[in-house]
Each structure stands twice: as structure tokens, then as C-alpha cells.
Amino acid sequence: MPKDTLSVTDNRTGKTYELPIANGCIRTADLRQIKTGPEDFGLMGYDPAFLNTANCTSRITFIDGDKGILEYRGYPIEQLAEHSTYLEVAYLIMHGELPTKKELDDFTFLVMHHTYVHENIKTFMDGFRYDAHPMSILASTVAALSGFYPDAKHVKDARARRVQMVRMIAKMPTIAAFSYRHSMGLPYVYPNNDLSYVGNFLSMVRNIGEAKYAVNPVLERALDVLFILHADHEQNCSTTATRLVGSSEVDPFSAVAAGIEALYGPLHGGANEAVLRMLREIGHVAKVPQFMKKVKEADGPKLMGFGHRVYKSYDPRAKVIKRMAEQVFEVTGKNPLIDIAVELERIALQDDYFVKRKLYPNVDFYSGLIYEAMGFPVDMFPVLFAIPRTVGWCSQWEEMITDDEQKIARPRQVYLGPKRRDYVAVEKRKPSST
Ligand code: ACO
């Protein structure tokens, strides 16, 4: 039997250490015993951007990036996208198991009866400029919820935690729809709890003057599947932001607001917005080869919607979305930009530059085309990502808060700045070169 340890010899001292290996990891804290002398702080791991550092154990989402596998609580994403609904998946992610019929009915009732927001939230949202990006309205409003629910600070209380999680899942579509209506100068539409989770969201976004908004079932199902695909994705940038901020034991609204802000960036959930802008800029299939040439130049643009830190093969979510685009276009009419996207993908999958770097379409490559066909402006794309990811952020936050091994997150640094020096009076200072 091989021993589950790693032997490390420090060539500075000639000493050998045995470090335990568990779950394919050594603990970097075990490196601290490796010292050149009593004054030495001990060896650390240096890993900018956490390329090879696990920050937690988790039982929620499994990804095998080389094989293109994504599972929530063990269930393959393709099966969930085909057979499940977003609220059922949300229950699964939160509770660890698929619900029985009664459990799902109770959960649906609970979520659909927390969809209203305090009237003062509307006043708060009205304070934004008419042209504010809906993602900044969303993030600020979610952060503001902690001011409305003071019990949210009881993060060690299991019941209080679940109440805030349900509140967030329930209210996110309302706040998202209100931020859209605000940016369009339209009156807010209140939730209609008789509709489905997604149908109610579409109603709050689209309804103008109808007593009950008639939701198109194909678009409702398409958005529900998109929500399933975006529900969680283990330790990505926004989830890590949520966990790190939450580790200070701040309330979950503040922690999730940090996740929303992280998602907003163009390298993360803002990428679907960037894809659409890129496709529009290319403008025509004939211009694709010219654009691809630029992408490969040293200072060229990135092919947005391509590449992933974890997936080194086709993102399984992108496969489902590409197939679904056809069903949506049958209802909405074809989005002309799809031809440009398909041609970009065709060239990229054959081109040595992309093949060598294992760059494949990610979840954002085709989702924007569907959102646009459904009539959403590009500013709303990251918001449409944030709504379903809420259950992932909340569940990851709760897993962190209940994990006895976790403490306030506090990485180390390697200091490379000036050594100690004495203060110089202003009249004696020389101009610096920078
Ligand atoms: N277009 C062109 N070249 C790319 C792309 C791209 N989209 N992505 C990576 N590369 C190249 C890099 O330039 C680098 O080339 P080099 O080895 O010659 O220097 C190589 O591929 C490796 O790329 P890294 O940046 O090291 O990969 P990393 O894992 O750090 O980045 C990321 C992953 C941020 C997703 C990156 O692929 C990217 O910027 N993609 C475009 C933005 C995007 O679509 N983001 C959405 C990701 S999915 C999500 O967050 C939901």
C-alpha cells in the first residue's frame, strides 16, 4: 500500500519532512514547519489567483474540466436541464437531495410568497440615475436588504439563515425586474404569485397594462433551463467573493452583494454582454476571419465567451444552450448574430491557437443570443445570470458558515516593497521618477 504522504527535502537545510496527503491535497499550513532557522517564518505557498489552491471542501457542485462534466449534488447538468425545473434544482442545491412532491410544493409556496419587497426598496431604487446599469442597482439593492432584515446578522442561527436564503431567492427576480423597469423609465410591476418563478419574472419585466401577463411557454421553459444551468458553479470568482466576505460573519445579503459585484466583471458574468458587443462589432460572417486574425495577435482582443479557468473542453452548459437557441428562435425569429457566432466557433475549433490552449465556448457564448432574441437589452444579461446564481451563492455561503474548519479568510502575501526607511521632511524630498 502506498503511504498517503509527501516527502519534501529542503535543499537549504538538507532536512526531510513528511506531509500528509488527504483528498489529493497537502495542507499548505503544514509547510510552515519547513524553516531555515528559528527566525524563519516558515515556507508558504505562493498561488496568485488560486490556480492550484483549494480554499474549502464542498459537497454541492462537481466539475471535471477536462471531461466537460458538471453535476449538482451528483446529478448531471444535462439530466437536470432536461427533466427538472429551476425551483426543484434550487431545492436540491440548498438541501442536498431532490424534493418529494410535497417538499417541492411547500418550497415553491414559500419562495413565491416572499417575492414582494418593502415599499421603501422602491424609493431606494428610484434614487438611481435613469441610465444606471441594472447590475449596479441590483448589487446595491441586495446589499441594502440587510438594513431591512436585521435578523440576517444571526448567521449562526440555522433558521435565520434559511429565512434569508429564501428571501434572497424569492426577491432577486423582483429586484432584477425593478432595476430593468427603472432603467427603461417604466413603472414597476408587482409580483404575481400565481405564475411560475420564471413566468412571474417575465411578467414583472414585460407586462404593460395586462391584468395577467400571458407568458409564452417556450420562452418560459427556455429561461427556466438557463436558470438551471447557471444555478451554481463551485468556487468561481463570485462564489469565492461571497465566501470570503461572508467569512467575516457579515450578514448574507452583504456577502451575496459582493458576489454580484464580482459577477459583473467582463471576465466573469459580464462576458455574455461582452460577447454580444463583440458580435455586433464584427457585424458580418465575412468579417470573422479578419477578427480571428486580430485575436491571435499579441495585443489583440479576446474571443469573448471562449476559454475557462476550469473547463479545458466544451463547457457542458454551452452545449445545452446552443441546442435551446433553435427552439427559442422558432418563437422569436432567428437572431442574425447567431451565424457570426457559429462561424467563430467553427474556425476556433479547428485553429491551432485555440486548440493548443484548449479554448472552447463557455456558458456565455450563446446565452446572450437567446436573451437578446427574448428582447432583453445587453445590460440585463449579467442580471439574468445573477438571479439563478443566488441559490449557489447562498448555499456556498451556508456551507462555509457551518464548516468548522473555516475561519475569517486572510491570505498571506509576499512582501517585495522597500525595506524599513526613515521619514523625510517634505522640503528635503527628491522628485520620484513615477
Ligand atoms: N481569446 C483568446 N485567447 C484567450 C482567450 C480568449 N477568450 N482565453 C484565454 N486565451 C489565451 C490567453 O491569452 C493565454 O494565451 P498565452 O498562453 O499565449 O498567454 C491562454 O489562452 C491561457 O489563458 P489564461 O488567461 O491564462 O486563462 P485563465 O484561466 O486565466 O482565464 C478566462 C480564463 C478569464 C475565462 C479567459 O479564458 C477569458 O478571458 N475568456 C474570455 C472572457 C469570458 O468568456 N469569460 C467568461 C468565463 S465563464 C464565466 O465566468 C461564467
Side-chain angles (χ1 to χ4, degrees):
M1 269 291 269
K3 217 172 152 196
D4 282 341
T5 60
L6 175 73
S7 299
V8 180
T9 301
D10 184 350
N11 293 323
R12 299 171 302 175
T13 60
K15 278 195 199 158
T16 296
Y17 304 81
E18 272 207 20
L19 310 181
I21 298 176
N23 301 315
C25 293
I26 60 157
R27 285 181 180 257
T28 37
D30 286 345
L31 296 173
R32 287 279 293 282
Q33 60 185 300
I34 305 178
K35 298 181 178 198
T36 51
E39 295 291 293
D40 187 351
F41 179 76
L43 207 62
M44 295 190 299
Y46 176 59
D47 187 14
F50 307 118
L51 290 185
N52 195 40
T53 296
N55 173 47
C56 60
T57 57
S58 183
R59 290 174 170 76
I60 300 174
T61 292
F62 172 77
I63 299 176
D64 183 328
D66 291 327
K67 296 194 183 124
I69 294 172
L70 168 60
E71 296 165 357
Y72 299 152
R73 303 281 189 184
Y75 293 100
I77 193 68
E78 296 82 359
Q79 291 184 23
L80 294 171
E82 192 174 341
H83 302 295
S84 193
T85 60
Y86 175 69
L87 279 189
E88 187 177 69
V89 166
Y91 184 99
L92 169 70
I93 289 175
M94 254 176 91
H95 295 85
E97 295 297 336
L98 283 168
T100 61
K101 165 104 179 49
K102 175 163 184 337
E103 284 166 341
L104 181 58
D105 287 348
D106 291 350
F107 183 66
T108 304
F109 182 88
L110 198 62
V111 170
M112 295 313 295
H113 286 78
H114 281 85
T115 50
Y116 272 62
V117 290
H118 194 288
E119 283 293 290
N120 286 3
I121 289 279
K122 277 184 6 190
T123 322
F124 176 82
M125 294 176 93
D126 280 343
F128 281 89
R129 262 177 63 131
Y130 69 96
D131 58 351
H133 195 292
M135 198 64 172
S136 57
I137 304 181
L138 181 76
S140 316
T141 309
V142 170
L145 288 180
S146 67
F148 288 82
Y149 302 109
D151 57 326
K153 64 176 180 291
H154 302 305
V155 297
K156 297 288 181 188
D157 177 334
R159 194 178 165 278
R161 276 199 307 269
R162 287 294 162 116
V163 170
Q164 316 317 326
M165 288 165 77
V166 167
R167 278 181 175 146
M168 255 186 285
I169 294 166
K171 295 182 198 314
M172 200 63 86
T174 313
I175 299 169
F178 282 14
S179 54
Y180 167 78
R181 305 282 292 204
H182 177 84
S183 61
M184 300 301 284
L186 290 166
Y188 303 133
V189 174
Y190 283 96
N192 181 341
N193 297 344
D194 292 338
L195 295 170
S196 71
Y197 185 78
V198 164
N200 172 49
F201 172 63
L202 287 172
S203 159
M204 289 187 290
V205 167
R206 288 260 164 273
N207 194 351
I208 298 185
E210 285 179 60
K212 186 173 179 187
Y213 181 71
V215 185
N216 181 300
V218 175
L219 302 187
E220 184 180 18
R221 176 63 189 155
L223 198 53
D224 201 50
V225 172
L226 280 162
F227 279 10
I228 291 172
L229 300 177
H230 286 87
D232 190 50
H233 212 235
E234 51 117 313
Q235 309 313 316
N236 53 75
C237 177
S238 55
T239 302
T240 302
T242 303
R243 276 184 176 258
L244 258 58
V245 171
S247 76
S248 72
E249 297 187 4
V250 72
D251 67 87
F253 297 112
S254 304
V256 167
I260 298 173
E261 297 289 18
L263 185 72
Y264 190 8
L267 297 187
H268 193 11
N272 50 17
E273 189 176 340
V275 170
L276 249 278
R277 297 195 200 282
M278 174 188 77
L279 294 175
R280 282 196 195 132
E281 205 181 301
I282 298 171
H284 195 277
V285 176
K287 294 198 180 145
V288 167
Q290 191 188 331
F291 178 78
M292 289 300 253
K293 207 166 143 227
K294 277 202 276 172
V295 168
K296 292 187 280 179
E297 286 166 9
D299 289 329
K302 275 189 171 167
L303 178 54
M304 297 311 284
F306 258 69
H308 198 277
R309 172 61 58 76
V310 178
Y311 291 120
K312 298 303 169 194
S313 66
Y314 214 104
D315 183 332
R317 301 167 298 174
K319 270 189 200 154
V320 178
I321 294 175
K322 193 178 174 189
R323 272 200 307 272
M324 220 170 51
E326 289 158 23
Q327 297 162 24
V328 170
F329 295 163
E330 271 177 32
V331 176
T332 61
K334 187 171 147 185
N335 186 329
L337 296 177
I338 185 84
D339 292 335
I340 301 174
V342 168
E343 181 63 1
L344 283 170
E345 182 188 331
R346 191 188 66 77
I347 296 185
L349 295 185
Q350 299 172 359
D351 190 303
D352 221 33
Y353 175 95
F354 296 92
V355 174
K356 246 184 22 214
R357 290 171 176 78
K358 299 188 176 170
L359 300 172
Y360 294 88
N362 60 48
V363 68
D364 289 320
F365 193 61
Y366 288 107
S367 60
L369 291 169
I370 298 184
Y371 296 145
E372 189 179 64
M374 289 172 83
F376 288 105
V378 284
D379 280 1
M380 275 299 281
F381 295 0
V383 173
L384 291 162
F385 192 149
I387 298 170
R389 182 54 58 87
T390 302
V391 70
W393 289 325
C394 286
S395 304
Q396 296 271 354
W397 164 80
E398 187 178 47
E399 193 178 55
M400 180 275 305
I401 277 288
T402 53
D403 181 345
D404 289 340
E405 281 205 303
Q406 292 291 339
K407 289 171 181 287
I408 184 167
R410 203 323 184 168
R412 296 279 173 180
Q413 65 164 7
V414 178
Y415 179 70
L416 299 176
K419 294 268 186 274
R420 185 193 182 285
R421 49 188 173 162
D422 290 324
Y423 181 80
V424 180
V426 67
E427 60 282 3
K428 293 191 181 158
R429 287 176 214 159
K430 296 194 179 99
S432 67
S433 52
T434 51

